[in-house]
Amino acid sequence: MTSAIRHVTIDCSDAYALGSFWSEVLDQPLHEDDKPGDEEALIEGAGLLFVTVPEGKTVKNRIHFDLEPQDRTREEEVERLLALGATLVHDHRRADGSGWALLADPEGNEFCVERSAAERAATASG
């Protein structure tokens, strides 16, 4: 027998608020039972569980998400995420189109936005 990862659990100060942010990012709903003030919030389709804890984030994440836009360019996705409440931490995008943008969610958890598959394919064939 082996084990399977059921959820990736993210500690945070407000599970519902952070879960709602990621729900918008991923265009996947929070579980129907989740309400503001709940100590847990679940995005079942993504396997993400947000849990309210008393302590705040203090150091760089040891694990993070690398997002790949599905229906837009990396630049369009970065702009969308900034409008949702993310912040740009460091810009690793290069003039040749390679690289990534390092962002943080509203509680400071870092994540990257890479080029879409279409952008990578266009660069490879060009």
Side-chain angles (χ1 to χ4, degrees), residues 34-55:
D34 294 333
K35 306 286 184 262
D38 287 353
E39 294 195 11
E40 294 183 357
L42 175 65
I43 302 175
E44 201 163 19
L48 297 178
L49 177 63
F50 300 87
V51 177
T52 300
V53 297
E55 59 276 352

Side-chain angles (χ1 to χ4, degrees), residues 2 8 14-15 39 68 79 83 114:
T2 61
V8 174
D14 184 334
E39 294 195 11
E68 178 186 72
E79 291 305 314
E114 300 179 350

Side-chain angles (χ1 to χ4, degrees), residues 72-105:
R72 58 185 56 101
T73 67
R74 176 185 56 205
E75 285 19 320
E76 292 167 334
E77 183 66 349
V78 167
E79 291 305 314
R80 184 180 80 88
L81 298 173
L82 293 173
L84 289 175
T87 55
L88 181 64
V89 175
H90 197 276
D91 195 339
H92 296 278
R93 294 174 282 188
R94 298 185 196 104
D96 67 359
S98 63
W100 64 95
L102 175 62
L103 281 70
D105 70 19

